[in-house]
Amino acid sequence: MGQSTRHSINELLVNLFNHVMDMEGKAVITSQFQDITNNDMHIIEAIGVEEPRNMSVIAHRMAVTVSTLTTNMNGLERKGYIRRERSQEDKRVVYVLLTDKGRKAFYHHRDFHKKMIKAIVKDLSEEEMEILYRCLQNLNQFLEPEGTT
């Protein structure tokens, strides 16, 4: 691969990142969810709708410290997107759960990502999707903070 191609890939990745962040902000932060940020929406995604998660698990999923996450959680709780609940087995453990409002935000955000993935793979064969998947795995591995891979 030539230097020109490598440069083009770099430019494309930078542009894609900027476009995704911009589009996601416009698509996800609608009038219904204007009281939160795109970052808040990613915290809601990290909390998820499956089983309750504690702060350590959510912080790990977001690659931030618990103390960094706490400030955001306080805001999300104040705005009615999350609630905290102490474990019945171990009162020191606090779980974070999405409220109905938080679940609506979660599904709204997920729908944006589903549409984005559909647009990415619409003209790809199974083999091309496998190659794309491997490329994205390599990129993700490169971007992972040291010690987490």
Side-chain angles (χ1 to χ4, degrees), residues 33-106:
F33 303 109
Q34 64 187 1
D35 60 340
I36 59 174
T37 65
N38 207 16
N39 186 57
D40 290 335
M41 199 61 91
H42 288 123
I43 293 169
I44 288 169
E45 178 185 33
I47 296 167
V49 292
E50 301 88 29
E51 73 281 343
R53 293 196 165 98
N54 66 33
M55 290 286 284
S56 297
V57 170
I58 298 164
H60 178 74
R61 291 184 81 181
M62 298 214 45
V64 298
T65 64
V66 171
S67 60
T68 298
L69 188 60
T70 299
T71 303
N72 296 92
M73 288 296 189
N74 292 339
L76 286 170
E77 186 173 37
R78 197 172 47 255
K79 295 170 189 172
Y81 287 91
I82 66 158
R83 65 184 171 88
R84 298 174 193 185
E85 191 175 277
R86 290 216 176 266
S87 167
Q88 295 301 314
E89 294 82 38
D90 185 346
K91 297 292 184 192
R92 296 171 298 176
V93 177
V94 177
Y95 291 108
V96 179
L97 301 98
L98 295 179
T99 61
D100 286 342
K101 185 177 180 181
R103 290 171 92 76
K104 286 178 186 170
F106 174 89

